[in-house]
Amino acid sequence: MRSGLGFGGAALALPLMLMVVNEPVLLLPAICLHLLLFSSLTVASRIANVDWRYLLRLVLVIAIPFAAGLFGLLNLSGRFLSIVVYAVTLSYGLMYALNRVLVSGNRWVDAFCLTFGGYVSGVSLIGAPLIMAVSTRQLPARQLRDTMFVVWIVLVIVKLSTFVGAGVDLQWRLALAMLPLVGLGHWFGLKLHSHLVSGDRQFFNRIIGCGLMLVSILGLATAL
């Protein structure tokens, strides 16, 4: 569940889980519950490091595309949504494999990244790299990770509230059963993140990227 990159747990977990159950709306509640718990634990001791003004502005900007993505999640077919997830994940995998960092350079690219990133986050919670492409340039490095964790907590709370309102099963039994493994993965992920921040992460990125590409290609072949 945890990628060790600071973000990306859902981007790594969801494509693999969709190969077993081809319905994102059945899997996302458990993922949301885990993200809410472990993101809160991660940022709890660093809450003073969050840029609240930027966080509010960012949430307001992505609110409409996020809501559109959430509407799609509840109304579009699982097969179509899975194709979207695999296609986006494939692009992330290619980026990681080539050791390319997505960074926005102007307001038009900013608008695209935030709009599409917000939509993808509403559909599947895998829009972090697109949103980070803008935030990396606009936030100091020391505040980036903690601020983004709180953004994700806000989005997850909205998504879970929508699930409750729409009568979606929150799959709390699945979330509880997976909790020990997710907790172990989270702990290793934090250790790995600290190691990567202080060292060379190119080899790690290539391995993750190739893995994501392989899973995405297999998933697309199955879904199509």
Side-chain angles (χ1 to χ4, degrees), residues 6-222:
F7 289 93
L12 287 174
L14 188 57
L16 288 168
M17 296 170 75
L18 285 174
M19 297 182 76
V20 180
V21 180
N22 196 25
E23 286 288 346
V25 75
L26 296 179
L27 301 171
L28 281 168
I31 293 177
C32 284
L33 290 171
H34 290 148
L35 287 176
L36 181 60
L37 173 61
F38 289 105
S39 294
S40 299
L41 290 175
T42 300
V43 80
S45 62
R46 301 174 57 85
I47 201 71
N49 200 39
V50 174
D51 187 329
W52 295 100
R53 182 178 298 178
Y54 181 83
L55 183 150
L56 177 61
R57 188 166 72 248
L58 178 60
V59 169
L60 291 175
V61 168
I62 66 175
I64 293 177
F66 179 80
L70 192 50
F71 179 82
L73 173 63
L74 295 174
N75 291 279
L76 297 174
S77 71
R79 178 172 176 268
F80 174 79
L81 294 172
S82 295
I83 291 173
V84 171
V85 170
Y86 285 127
V88 173
T89 305
L90 180 60
S91 67
Y92 291 162
L94 182 62
M95 184 173 61
Y96 279 128
L98 296 176
N99 271 303
R100 301 294 183 186
V101 178
L102 181 61
V103 178
S104 174
N106 60 65
R107 63 178 183 175
W108 297 109
V109 178
D110 284 358
F112 170 79
C113 287
L114 292 179
T115 301
F116 191 55
Y119 179 79
V120 172
S121 297
V123 166
S124 62
L125 282 178
I126 63 171
L130 290 162
I131 296 173
M132 288 281 287
V134 179
S135 300
T136 297
R137 184 168 51 83
Q138 297 179 347
L139 274 176
R142 61 182 178 82
Q143 292 184 299
L144 178 64
R145 187 166 178 258
D146 297 319
T147 302
M148 289 299 101
F149 265 125
V150 179
V151 169
W152 238 242
I153 290 171
V154 171
L155 297 184
V156 164
I157 290 174
V158 172
K159 180 164 285 194
L160 285 173
S161 300
T162 304
F163 285 157
V164 172
V168 174
D169 187 346
L170 293 186
Q171 304 291 344
W172 64 268
R173 294 180 182 84
L174 173 63
L176 189 61
M178 293 170 60
L179 192 59
L181 291 177
V182 177
L184 184 63
H186 176 79
W187 183 80
F188 277 116
L190 292 178
K191 295 292 184 183
L192 181 57
H193 179 267
S194 298
H195 174 73
L196 291 173
V197 167
S198 60
D200 182 8
R201 61 190 294 173
Q202 290 189 356
F203 177 73
F204 178 81
N205 283 357
R206 287 196 181 98
I207 296 297
I208 291 294
C210 290
L212 287 176
M213 290 173 64
L214 178 60
V215 170
S216 300
I217 291 170
L218 291 175
L220 281 171
T222 301

